[in-house]
Amino acid sequence: MEGINVSEQEYKFGYVTYEEPVPLTSEFAKNLLEGKVIGNQCTKCGAKYLPPRNGCSKCFNRDLVPFEVNPEATLRAFTVIHFAPESFTDKAPYIVAVGQMENGLGVLAHLVGVTSMPKVGMQMKLVAQKLDQDRVVYKFVKA
Amino acid sequence: MDENVVIVGGGHSKFGKRQGLGIRELAFEAVESLLNDFKKGMEDIEASVIGIAGEEFSGQGAPAAVMQDEIGMAGKPTLRVESACATGTAAIKAAYGWIKAGFYDTVLVLGVEKMTSVSSARATELMARAGDVRWESPYGCTFPGYYALFASAHMEKYGTTKEMLSSVGVKAHHYGAKNPLAHLQKEVSLSEAMNAVPIAHPLNLYDCSLISDGASAIVLTRESLAKEFTDTPIKIKGIGSGSDTMQIAHRESLTSLKGAKIAAQKAYKMAGVGPNDIDVAEVHDCFTIAEIIATEDLEFFELGEGGPAALDQQTYIGGKIPVNVDGGLKSKGHPLGATGVSQAYEIRKQLLGEAGPRQVDGAQIGLSHNVGQSGQFVNVIIYGRD
Ligand SMILES: CC(C)(COP(=O)(O)OP(=O)(O)OC[C@H]1O[C@@H](n2cnc3c(N)ncnc32)[C@H](O)[C@@H]1OP(=O)(O)O)[C@@H](O)C(=O)NCCC(=O)NCCS
Ligand SMILES: [Zn+2]
């Protein structure tokens, strides 16, 4: 494809990769690195997806266009993980949060930088962090 | 096939950390126990449906075959069913469908899991992979974690307290202590339960189900053949199922399971009964908050009233609706694939009046509620004496 400056690098999303990386996640991670949370929208029925999908699950249209999501979020639910999965043992304790974003969208991510117990309803912002050369995560911080 | 499908036998292994036993030995133990009070033999069972959630725990690929052979059914048709923690009831539903379709008259349903062969951290990792491995599992949310998310939302919305959560665990251990098949047969006090080691805040050790090994089995047949097997068949009156979004962050509600509400409505309708008709219930208390939400989704209590009702012992024998009086997943244990079948086993015992010190007097109609993952699979089954 012309016009897009794709460094051939593949990016991985999240702290751990469990499935074979796909172009969708690599692209999502690359956008995150540029500070953008990019979802996509169906050109036929208007359904919005965050994280993005390969096709529209409502009408099976393959033609989805990217849109930038406002990173502001409200805390819907949270937990502090003390007993972690094997791959996360050295990270515990960490806070996992569900954030509500615009247009009914939302994601699950770590919440970092809080010094006391978070409060459901608090305002947050979704930010990106590069973990190493090819791995990116998003996390919530207090707004 | 217009007849009812009935349960004519039940068997149950001891649940627990069953060192030295693999899935085949556990399966054998459950079927052996079934044959103890069964008028007929294995030769009268035509096929089996085998529920097991994971193969990485036991190491055996395509695990139904090895169990089919061990229980002497090699040559007869079998099928492995998997719906995470709702595997057991999915297997019951599949067998029910086979009988209704007229494929077979009499089918064995076997649920099994061997979980303690791996460390708890490994088991936690394997179970966490039932979350969305692309978008959510990469953040290390555990199963206790997903339910802790629900708990935080439930506490915020309805004022549910830690004490209410812990009281569910206290009840589970109270009854589990009276169940010889239970994994952890010991009472726990409210203060012990409230002050246990944190697992996924606000859930601590006594809010979590156990990592267990075990198996359970039931036999289903058509009503007209029931008398050949037993004098006291238990009827399956209704089955309903539902599901929900894969990602937790996409849920409309974090204080209720949509799939459970749908499943309950369908099951009540099919059985022609309502929540007030249920005498005894087995609900999927993988975590204490899950039991509170279940009692609301099943409409035993209004939304937000599940916590206060638990604290008020409305879910004990003698309360409004006895729930998990076998100890539940919390104290009886939760070998994933066995759980849904174990629930049916317990309801049958209750309706037969054979539950011993845990008997709900005169129970006529029972219900089981079995949830896979964090609501992506739900089955509700209603059972009756007639
Ligand atoms: C909570 C949990 C992590 C604890 O595991 P653990 O810390 O490795 O526990 P261990 O196996 O080392 O056991 C330590 C002690 O705690 C007890 N114990 C373990 N789990 C327990 C539980 N859930 N409740 C009460 N006691 C428990 C053990 O019997 C043991 O007691 P002992 O020292 O007197 O022998 C584990 O039970 C768990 O993950 N439960 C949830 C399972 C789950 O998610 N299932 C799927 C649901 S959808
Ligand atoms: Zn569409």
Side-chain angles (χ1 to χ4, degrees):
Chain A
M1 281 213 229
E2 59 169 326
I4 315 170
N5 161 31
V6 211
S7 60
E8 287 307 314
Q9 168 141 18
E10 279 208 0
Y11 291 95
K12 299 197 184 83
F13 171 76
Y15 290 101
V16 180
T17 303
Y18 291 107
E19 66 167 5
E20 185 190 347
V22 295
L24 191 79
T25 41
S26 179
E27 181 70 21
F28 183 76
K30 185 170 149 286
N31 288 326
L32 264 187
L33 266 185
E34 289 163 9
K36 292 180 194 148
V37 182
I38 304 290
N40 60 10
Q41 180 169 23
C42 177
T43 53
K44 215 157 132 192
C45 77
K48 286 186 166 173
Y49 296 102
L50 178 72
R53 295 199 176 193
N54 197 39
C56 178
S57 303
K58 296 206 166 72
C59 73
F60 280 80
N61 175 24
R62 288 264 187 179
D63 189 19
L64 306 187
V65 291
F67 72 97
E68 190 169 345
V69 182
N70 182 339
E72 286 167 22
T74 307
L75 181 65
R76 281 182 86 190
F78 73 95
T79 177
V80 187
I81 304 284
H82 292 274
F83 195 100
E86 206 172 30
S87 342
F88 286 79
T89 314
D90 55 354
K91 289 196 179 60
Y94 48 90
I95 302 175
V96 171
V98 175
Q100 179 80 61
M101 302 167 82
E102 61 182 2
N103 296 313
L105 301 171
V107 297
L108 176 149
H110 286 181
L111 167 59
V112 299
V114 288
T115 45
S116 54
M117 224 17 125
K119 189 94 186 76
V120 170
M122 73 183 246
Q123 296 307 302
M124 311 182 294
K125 196 176 164 205
L126 193 64
V127 298
Q129 186 195 345
K130 187 170 178 173
L131 291 185
D132 48 43
Q133 270 318 321
D134 64 344
R135 189 172 284 283
V136 191
V137 294
Y138 51 34
K139 30 177 83 170
F140 289 115
V141 294
K142 222 171 152 178
Chain B
M1 217 282 293
D2 272 347
E3 290 174 38
N4 285 303
V5 173
V6 294
I7 306 177
V8 291
H12 207 289
S13 81
K14 165 83 174 64
F15 278 6
K17 200 165 181 164
R18 304 296 309 277
Q19 267 167 347
L21 305 184
I23 51 174
R24 69 187 86 190
E25 283 85 13
L26 293 167
F28 187 94
E29 189 175 316
V31 174
E32 177 185 44
S33 136
L34 183 145
L35 292 172
N36 282 337
D37 86 81
F38 198 55
K39 276 206 264 172
K40 301 200 117 190
M42 290 304 283
E43 60 282 2
D44 300 296
I45 299 174
E46 292 163 278
S48 72
V49 179
I50 300 183
I52 176 165
E55 45 231 46
E56 285 183 72
F57 294 114
S58 75
Q60 176 67 56
V66 74
M67 293 186 269
Q68 181 80 344
D69 188 296
E70 193 81 5
I71 61 172
M73 288 186 67
K76 295 178 182 176
T78 186
L79 168 76
R80 182 254 182 107
V81 165
E82 180 276 308
S83 302
C85 310
T87 290
T89 46
I92 295 173
K93 190 175 180 185
Y96 178 98
W98 271 1
I99 294 169
K100 276 284 183 186
F103 281 120
Y104 315 106
D105 291 332
T106 305
V107 180
L108 174 80
V109 182
L110 174 65
V112 186
E113 210 76 49
K114 171 77 193 177
M115 301 178 73
T116 68
S117 41
V118 300
S119 72
S120 297
R122 176 81 189 138
T124 300
E125 173 113 10
L126 291 174
M127 288 187 279
R129 269 165 42 190
D132 188 323
V133 294
R134 182 176 295 176
W135 300 113
E136 294 192 335
S137 306
Y139 288 90
C141 195
T142 59
F143 263 91
Y146 285 114
Y147 278 90
L149 291 170
F150 296 153
S152 76
H154 206 275
M155 289 166 117
E156 175 67 23
K157 183 164 181 188
Y158 298 119
T160 305
T161 62
K162 181 72 196 91
E163 191 181 21
M164 293 172 189
L165 297 178
S166 295
S167 70
V168 175
V170 170
K171 170 183 61 78
H173 280 282
H174 173 70
Y175 289 112
K178 302 182 200 304
N179 183 350
L181 298 171
H183 182 156
L184 211 55
Q185 297 168 34
K186 66 163 192 191
E187 299 256 4
V188 52
S189 71
L190 186 60
S191 74
E192 264 178 280
M194 287 184 70
N195 295 306
V197 48
I199 301 295
H201 175 88
L203 306 181
N204 68 35
L205 187 67
Y206 279 103
D207 292 298
C208 298
S209 56
L210 290 148
I211 294 178
S212 317
D213 308 326
S216 185
I218 58 172
V219 173
L220 302 183
T221 192
R222 42 204 288 180
E223 194 169 20
S224 60
L225 301 176
K227 289 286 174 237
E228 298 175 26
F229 293 88
T230 177
D231 298 331
T232 49
I234 297 299
K235 201 176 287 177
I236 294 187
K237 296 171 76 76
I239 306 183
S241 306
S243 72
D244 209 336
T245 65
M246 184 61 198
Q247 286 171 50
I248 289 291
H250 292 164
R251 296 284 168 90
E252 281 161 31
S253 169
L254 294 178
T255 55
S256 173
L257 298 183
K258 183 178 169 188
K261 286 183 161 173
I262 295 169
Q265 289 313 318
K266 297 254 184 209
Y268 285 137
K269 187 156 185 250
M270 180 173 167
V273 302
N276 290 329
D277 299 314
I278 307 298
D279 299 313
V280 56
E282 284 278 295
V283 311
H284 199 87
D285 63 322
C286 48
F287 302 97
T288 51
I289 184 64
E291 177 165 318
I292 289 173
I293 291 176
T295 58
E296 296 173 356
D297 289 343
L298 293 164
E299 294 180 19
F300 296 144
F301 305 110
E302 302 275 322
L303 294 180
E305 292 301 318
L311 190 59
D312 192 33
Q313 305 203 338
Q314 290 300 323
T315 46
Y316 277 68
I317 294 174
K320 181 166 187 262
I321 171 78
V323 173
N324 293 338
V325 298
D326 58 352
L329 285 56
K330 172 72 207 72
S331 167
K332 183 182 59 176
H334 182 24
L336 310 178
T339 286
V341 186
S342 169
Q343 292 178 329
Y345 170 92
E346 170 69 10
I347 293 291
R348 172 175 178 266
K349 285 283 184 202
Q350 285 285 348
L351 301 187
L352 293 177
E354 293 175 3
R358 302 175 287 102
Q359 182 63 44
V360 175
D361 269 348
Q364 296 289 319
I365 300 181
L367 174 151
S368 68
H369 156 283
N370 189 201
V371 178
Q373 296 176 228
S374 44
Q376 288 89 334
F377 306 92
V378 189
N379 298 308
V380 172
I381 305 182
I382 295 171
Y383 315 75
R385 277 301 297 256
D386 44 42

